[in-house]
Amino acid sequence: MAPRGVARRRASVKRAVRALALILLALFLVAFARTATHGGANARDGDASATVSVVVRSSRRAAPDARADERRATETPTIANVDATRDEIVAADDAGVAAGMDDHRPSSPLKPPAPTWARVRADSRRRRAVREAMREVFGAYLKYARGHDELAPMSETGRDDFGGVGATLVDALDTLHIMGLSREFNEALSSLKGTDGEKFRDLIHGVSDRDVSVFETNIRIIGGLLSTYDLTGDADVLELAESMASRLSAAFDTASGVPRSFVNVKTGRAFGLPWTNGNSILADFGSMHLEWATLSARTGNALYEEHTNHVFDTISDNAHASGAPRGLFPHMFHPDTGRFAGGVVSFGALGDSFYEYLIKCWRSLGGLRRAERWREMFDDAIAGMKSHMLHEWKRGENMEVYAYVSPIGGAPKMEHLACFTPGMLVLGANEAPTVELADEYLEMAKNIARTCVEMYTSQPTGLSPDHASFPSGGNVTLVDAKNIQRPETVESLFYLYRKTGDDVYRDQAWTIFQAMKRAYRTPSGGWQGVRDVSVDPPKGDDKMQSFFLAETLKYLYLTFCEDSVMHLDEWVFNTEAHPFKMTRDVTTLGARSSSH
Ligand code: DMJ
């Protein structure tokens, strides 16, 4: 028997061990709870350093689905909810600041994650400024151009470049909703549903005898309606989207199944652009699947997805015969011969969104047919771009290294349109086949984005030209001096910020927003583009683009939100920045491609 003192010591050692065990258990439970609260992103983060394989990828893709479904079941997305979320975010911001919270801290002390997306807090002041801009420009649109496609801010009247169907109304809907501008959102929606929207509904229901661009109608009208449906659950809006798609379906009635560029919504007569010799354009017919597969999933009608899935199969099966370097495609395709017909190979006009949709469809459509082919085609496209289209630019006297993308065979210059490339590369870096490739994509994204930002900051107006060249040892040189409020650079800054959490991207976005505000604003409250970015003060173009409300202001706003707002593992943005809930439950897959 041990003496009393020894027994007491043993007992107190036991107590200490038990206490220590309890502390460790508590720490573990806290860590576990935080991981669970932060959801699929962190679950996936844990294996981010592993060699990525198909198996890893599919488990990565499964996680957000469960989270999204859970939310769908508990939450009816209404404008009130968005307001509540915003208030909660602001309150949480304040609490976080008070507690000295570090945004970028690892979520678990036991296993620091390599995050898919950075965890970032809102910058309430800047976010509010962008929201106010949206309120102002949409107010001016309603006042002077309600029901028209776009506002002419200086003339204080409407413009109808899309057939007078109220393009801005539809393009702006989801931005208003996301920003919690409930009064404006409700007014826009009731405008569309009420007498102001008669022309719009006549177009959608094929009553008016009107030719429309299949691409523009798809990305703006169908995209805008679908995202509004995903945000609100409003069944009338989904019905309008479906009706519009059934009008456009006539364009797919070709020997190859690849649609022509224009269609008459009443007669179904389809035709190509006159300058293309009857060819269809890659960026047009190659960027429809995201909308049409989503529409099929929401309506249960497989027809839409079948059309665009077949288009993908046709493009993919023609890859070797396209005449372009591996992974890349010329922009002309003849819908009757079913063959590529030459043209430019570009990440700018005529090619851009085709490449964007390879990665977006792969990331966001569960049950995608030939899913691996979409990913392979994306990685091949980037490899092709790197070998044939990516150029180094040594800038200024210090010969600092930048990068830019230009079409194959063309002069060494870049359109602002191609500035979406960094954002696309960020998406490609997530869940890339190897860690090395992920790093390479991110590096490329940063270098191209530097050039895009330089296109703004090098000009006296602080605005980018639409097209620029980059002489070695020199500065940005104007090729097309106008600026038409395009979104691509701020879009890429948004993705880079969400990926890295590096404040440099937020600051760049803020600088660009301030330059826009200074140069675009007019006395009517509408904001217009400028004719020459090198002239300060600039002359305006008297046009407020509908994509300025759909994309530019939306990406700016989201850059200043915290990462949980439109989280990039839950939402995918179409090429007009209309967000769709990621679709994990596509069951209506194309019968025509079932052999693959
Ligand atoms: C937008 O309409 C879309 O982003 C499209 O894909 C090409 N670019 C314009 C805005 O610049």
Side-chain angles (χ1 to χ4, degrees):
M1 208 183 183
R4 259 202 162 150
V6 173
R8 252 201 314 270
R9 263 200 308 279
R10 273 192 193 146
S12 68
V13 167
K14 265 191 196 160
R15 269 199 305 277
V17 168
R18 226 178 285 138
L20 191 65
L22 279 174
I23 289 168
L24 284 174
L25 181 64
L27 276 176
F28 172 76
L29 287 175
V30 168
F32 178 77
R34 288 176 73 170
T35 306
T37 316
H38 298 139
N42 285 342
R44 285 195 316 279
D45 294 339
D47 60 23
S49 57
T51 310
V52 182
S53 67
V54 174
V55 179
V56 170
R57 194 155 58 209
S58 57
S59 71
R60 286 173 156 193
R61 301 183 78 199
D65 193 19
R67 202 170 35 161
D69 287 348
E70 209 175 283
R71 289 223 178 139
R72 247 197 303 276
T74 55
E75 226 176 67
T76 314
T78 61
I79 194 79
N81 274 3
V82 170
D83 277 335
T85 314
R86 199 186 53 247
D87 292 346
E88 280 158 20
I89 290 166
V90 173
D93 283 350
D94 296 344
V97 171
M101 200 166 92
D102 172 9
D103 277 339
H104 311 297
R105 70 203 182 284
S107 62
S108 156
L110 300 177
K111 193 179 181 191
T116 307
W117 302 109
R119 300 201 49 234
V120 293
R121 282 196 313 228
D123 180 331
S124 313
R125 185 179 62 84
R126 291 171 173 181
R127 185 177 55 180
R128 246 193 325 273
V130 180
R131 186 170 181 263
E132 277 318 302
M134 180 69 187
R135 194 203 296 276
E136 176 174 274
V137 301
F138 190 72
Y141 166 77
L142 283 184
K143 186 165 175 195
Y144 299 109
R146 182 194 289 257
H148 290 279
D149 287 332
E150 288 170 325
L151 168 69
M154 290 306 286
S155 321
E156 300 184 346
T157 179
R159 300 174 62 128
D160 286 325
D161 296 347
F162 298 97
V165 297
T168 297
L169 267 185
V170 190
D171 245 0
L173 274 174
D174 53 16
T175 308
L176 295 169
H177 194 281
I178 289 167
M179 292 183 180
L181 291 168
S182 32
R183 197 174 50 77
E184 289 82 355
F185 173 80
N186 291 331
E187 203 171 338
L189 196 56
S190 49
S191 247
L192 279 183
K193 292 186 179 183
T195 40
D196 290 335
E198 253 165 36
K199 256 178 142 181
F200 171 72
R201 289 193 305 279
D202 282 353
L203 178 96
I204 280 194
H205 295 130
V207 176
S208 44
D209 187 356
R210 192 176 291 284
D211 300 330
V212 297
S213 153
V214 173
F215 170 73
E216 297 294 353
T217 309
N218 176 53
I219 65 168
R220 296 181 199 227
I221 306 294
I222 297 180
L225 293 171
L226 264 181
S227 65
T228 300
Y229 172 70
D230 272 5
L231 289 163
T232 64
D234 185 328
D236 297 344
V237 173
L238 180 62
E239 216 177 288
L240 290 171
E242 182 166 21
S243 184
M244 187 77 259
S246 54
R247 301 276 87 72
L248 300 191
S249 290
F252 289 82
D253 191 13
T254 63
S256 64
V258 167
R260 298 189 202 282
S261 300
F262 278 81
V263 69
N264 184 292
V265 293
K266 186 173 186 182
T267 64
R269 189 182 80 86
F271 53 99
L273 282 161
W275 59 269
T276 61
N277 281 332
N279 286 297
S280 298
I281 291 170
L282 179 67
D284 294 0
F285 66 80
S287 9
M288 295 183 74
H289 192 59
L290 193 57
E291 291 82 0
W292 288 48
T294 303
L295 184 62
S296 282
R298 303 297 184 269
T299 59
N301 183 347
L303 189 72
Y304 311 110
E305 192 274 343
E306 279 179 24
H307 278 311
T308 51
N309 203 49
H310 178 73
V311 170
F312 171 76
D313 286 343
T314 306
I315 299 171
S316 165
D317 296 345
N318 268 283
H320 298 303
S322 80
R326 184 190 160 100
L328 302 171
F329 295 84
H331 82 270
M332 300 262 212
F333 184 95
H334 206 292
D336 299 326
T337 65
R339 296 273 172 268
F340 277 96
V344 297
V345 176
S346 165
F347 271 33
L350 310 173
D352 49 8
S353 44
F354 161 68
Y355 302 102
E356 174 187 349
Y357 273 29
L358 291 175
I359 192 65
K360 287 187 171 174
C361 288
W362 181 79
R363 283 196 86 237
S364 65
L365 298 174
L368 185 68
R369 274 198 191 267
R370 303 175 79 191
E372 293 317 305
R373 186 78 188 108
W374 287 77
R375 176 80 221 197
E376 276 164 23
M377 280 174 65
F378 175 76
D379 292 320
D380 284 352
I382 302 304
M385 179 271 278
K386 190 183 161 199
S387 310
H388 302 281
M389 301 160 82
L390 187 68
H391 304 278
E392 199 174 71
W393 172 41
K394 295 213 172 101
R395 189 182 77 84
E397 283 169 12
N398 301 336
M399 302 293 263
E400 286 170 83
V401 179
Y402 289 62
Y404 66 95
V405 187
S406 64
I408 290 185
K413 47 192 185 181
M414 177 162 73
E415 292 163 280
H416 188 278
L417 280 169
C419 287
F420 84 100
T421 307
M424 172 175 74
L425 285 166
V426 166
L427 289 177
N430 276 7
E431 306 157 89
T434 64
V435 172
E436 291 72 29
L437 208 57
D439 291 346
E440 184 182 310
Y441 286 0
L442 193 54
E443 201 50 34
M444 270 193 256
K446 290 176 179 175
N447 291 336
I448 300 167
R450 258 154 69 80
T451 307
C452 294
V453 169
E454 183 65 22
M455 285 163 71
Y456 283 79
T457 50
S458 60
Q459 300 308 310
T461 51
L463 294 176
S464 166
D466 209 43
H467 205 165
S469 66
F470 310 96
S472 183
N475 288 317
V476 172
T477 303
L478 307 186
V479 175
D480 182 344
K482 70 173 179 289
N483 176 296
I484 59 164
Q485 311 179 311
R486 287 196 193 277
E488 293 79 14
T489 297
V490 292
E491 170 182 353
S492 285
L493 294 176
F494 160 67
Y495 283 105
L496 277 163
Y497 184 63
R498 284 278 171 108
K499 178 73 186 163
T500 63
D502 186 338
D503 282 335
V504 83
Y505 300 114
R506 236 182 200 179
D507 292 343
Q508 288 169 344
W510 179 243
T511 304
I512 290 174
F513 172 70
Q514 285 174 304
M516 286 176 169
K517 187 170 176 180
R518 197 169 77 87
Y520 291 169
R521 223 165 168 207
T522 73
S524 68
W527 291 24
Q528 62 179 342
V530 311
R531 294 184 191 281
D532 186 341
V533 295
S534 67
V535 177
D536 193 28
K539 276 210 173 76
D541 66 3
D542 198 18
K543 184 168 162 88
M544 185 167 82
Q545 304 280 346
S546 83
F547 57 67
F548 179 60
L549 291 82
E551 302 188 69
T552 313
L553 288 177
K554 185 186 287 139
Y555 284 127
L556 280 164
Y557 177 82
L558 289 173
T559 302
F560 303 120
C561 286
E562 72 176 23
D563 59 291
S564 59
V565 180
M566 311 308 288
H567 194 282
L568 288 170
D569 282 338
E570 290 178 20
W571 294 90
V572 57
F573 292 86
N574 87 341
T575 191
E576 188 78 0
H578 295 305
F580 310 143
K581 258 294 189 204
M582 286 193 171
T583 301
R584 301 302 181 186
D585 53 354
V586 173
T587 50
T588 51
L589 291 167
R592 280 198 279 180
S593 55
S594 56
S595 55
H596 291 287

